[in-house]
Amino acid sequence: MLKIIHCADVHLGSKMEAKLPKYKAEERRVELRKTFQKMVEFAKKEGVRAILLAGDVFDSDRPFKRDKEFFYEVVKGTPEIDFLYLRGNHDGKESSVEGGIPNLKTFQEAWTGYDYGEVYVCGLEMTEENALSLYATLTLDPKCKNIVALHGQIGSVSGMDKIHLNKLADKNVDYLALGHIHSYEENKLDDRGRYAYSGCLEGRGFDECGEKGFVLLEIDKEINSRFVPFAKRQIRECVVALGATQTRYEAYLAVKKEILFAEDLYRIHLTGEIDYERDGLAEEIEKTRRRVNARAISSA
């Protein structure tokens, strides 16, 4: 059985847009690197043959030196796994891919493919020049199990960073590995294949709530896919109604009831009319939380 991980939108070096204090943002950047490393360790343990990175490994087209060194050291240190790196819109052309690494495989502005027995993995880095023509130039052997990688927003139009799903139907695609959208999504492409966004590895802000991770493909007679939640922390947002509370302590208990996972990051909106003093209530709840990792508490 061949195993491939579909991962995307790692965004190494992200500023972490979660309204976090500076020290916490840096902690999250470290956690992101550790989560990527843990995913590679998971891959080694599971006998994964290749990790398909469907865009935006880095958060900038000029990534920080520490992030580039980290990524390439991980790749070099795992020679038994191929890293199939398709650059996305954040990676850009300025983030030069380091050459001379045998297990680092890249894609070009024309369809580029790699054979793994009866499994064929191909991808294309989208440009203004090829965004309209890429569908006509995709040719796949119907006898192979075909995995296709692209980075962009799916829809019913063609263009830069836009993927016209209907134009990929009936092209002998078994699994369309996508990047760009930061939440997991999988659905039918046509009678033969399906498409999936793996989502990002770690949520970076409160617009990226929910489970984050990657997709594990197990390929034998067919391609079986499984989403693997893998983030160190989930980002959660919730509303707490305080209208029925009589004291600050009751307000604290109402908030605490919503915070079920101490490791996660929370944004809590406090709503409702109260008779007791509200000045400093958010700060008091934050101080009282002890081990609970609630952040960016706000009142509305």
Side-chain angles (χ1 to χ4, degrees):
M1 178 186 293
L2 177 69
K3 295 183 181 181
I4 294 176
I5 280 178
H6 165 208
C7 175
D9 298 286
V10 182
H11 286 280
L12 293 172
S14 173
K15 294 180 180 179
M16 292 295 169
E17 301 163 355
K19 294 186 178 180
L20 298 174
K22 186 175 181 180
Y23 81 92
K24 179 59 69 173
E26 176 58 27
E27 182 180 324
R28 287 293 287 147
R29 285 190 285 271
V30 172
E31 289 175 352
L32 177 54
R33 291 194 292 270
K34 289 183 177 179
T35 298
F36 183 81
Q37 177 70 66
K38 284 179 60 181
M39 181 189 71
V40 175
E41 292 170 357
F42 170 93
K44 290 169 64 176
K45 183 179 178 181
E46 292 292 320
V48 169
R49 181 65 184 85
I51 296 176
L52 175 56
L53 300 164
D56 290 353
V57 167
F58 300 106
D59 192 58
S60 168
D61 61 358
R62 297 181 184 273
F64 293 114
K65 180 180 178 182
R66 67 183 177 186
D67 295 310
K68 288 188 69 174
E69 289 180 346
F70 164 77
F71 173 69
Y72 291 114
E73 286 303 316
V74 170
V75 174
K76 292 175 185 177
T78 320
E80 66 271 37
I81 295 176
D82 285 349
F83 290 77
L84 310 181
Y85 178 14
L86 183 145
R87 287 177 296 184
N89 59 299
H90 277 261
D91 294 308
K93 302 307 178 186
E94 295 298 325
S95 59
S96 57
V97 175
E98 186 172 325
I101 306 176
N103 61 319
L104 179 62
K105 316 290 186 181
T106 59
F107 300 92
Q108 308 300 321
E109 296 175 7
W111 290 104
T112 309
Y114 300 96
D115 287 302
Y116 294 90
E118 295 181 353
V119 178
Y120 182 67
V121 182
C122 72
L124 173 146
E125 294 181 350
M126 196 178 297
T127 66
E128 294 287 355
E129 291 71 26
N130 67 22
L132 299 178
S133 63
L134 66 90
Y135 308 96
T137 57
L138 177 62
T139 303
L140 299 169
D141 185 346
K143 297 179 181 178
C144 288
K145 296 178 182 68
N146 297 306
I147 299 173
V148 175
L150 287 170
H151 188 91
Q153 171 73 55
I154 61 171
S156 57
V157 296
S158 304
M160 184 60 185
D161 297 328
K162 295 180 174 62
I163 299 170
H164 197 312
L165 271 186
N166 289 344
K167 290 186 177 181
L168 290 170
D170 302 319
K171 288 280 190 176
N172 299 312
V173 177
D174 293 288
Y175 182 86
L176 177 60
L178 299 172
H180 193 56
I181 302 301
H182 291 187
S183 295
Y184 168 68
E185 177 186 345
E186 184 165 344
N187 216 323
K188 184 177 179 179
L189 175 64
D190 55 22
D191 289 338
R192 171 168 175 156
R194 58 195 186 279
Y195 68 88
Y197 284 103
S198 65
C200 53
L201 277 180
E202 292 277 357
R204 299 178 301 151
F206 288 99
D207 58 342
E208 295 180 0
C209 296
E211 289 187 324
K212 305 299 178 186
F214 56 85
V215 177
L216 177 64
L217 303 176
E218 298 177 312
I219 308 165
D220 193 0
K221 294 182 179 179
E222 58 184 29
I223 298 178
N224 295 305
S225 61
R226 172 168 61 93
F227 176 70
V228 181
F230 211 71
K232 179 177 178 59
R233 309 178 197 276
Q234 280 195 47
I235 296 180
R236 302 175 185 271
E237 189 166 15
C238 58
V239 176
V240 179
L242 299 183
T245 62
Q246 302 297 317
T247 65
R248 287 174 180 266
Y249 183 65
E250 289 183 5
Y252 158 69
L253 292 179
V255 171
K256 184 180 179 182
K257 185 178 179 181
E258 296 295 325
I259 303 176
L260 304 178
F261 305 96
E263 289 297 313
D264 290 347
L265 296 173
Y266 287 81
R267 172 183 283 168
I268 300 172
H269 299 277
L270 307 179
T271 66
E273 295 184 4
I274 55 178
D275 295 329
Y276 52 90
E277 182 62 44
R278 61 170 287 176
D279 290 344
L281 176 60
E283 291 78 6
E284 186 171 327
I285 292 174
E286 171 66 13
K287 291 178 182 177
T288 311
R289 68 178 175 83
R290 297 180 186 274
R291 293 179 63 253
V292 177
N293 200 355
R295 294 292 179 190
I297 296 178
S298 61
S299 58

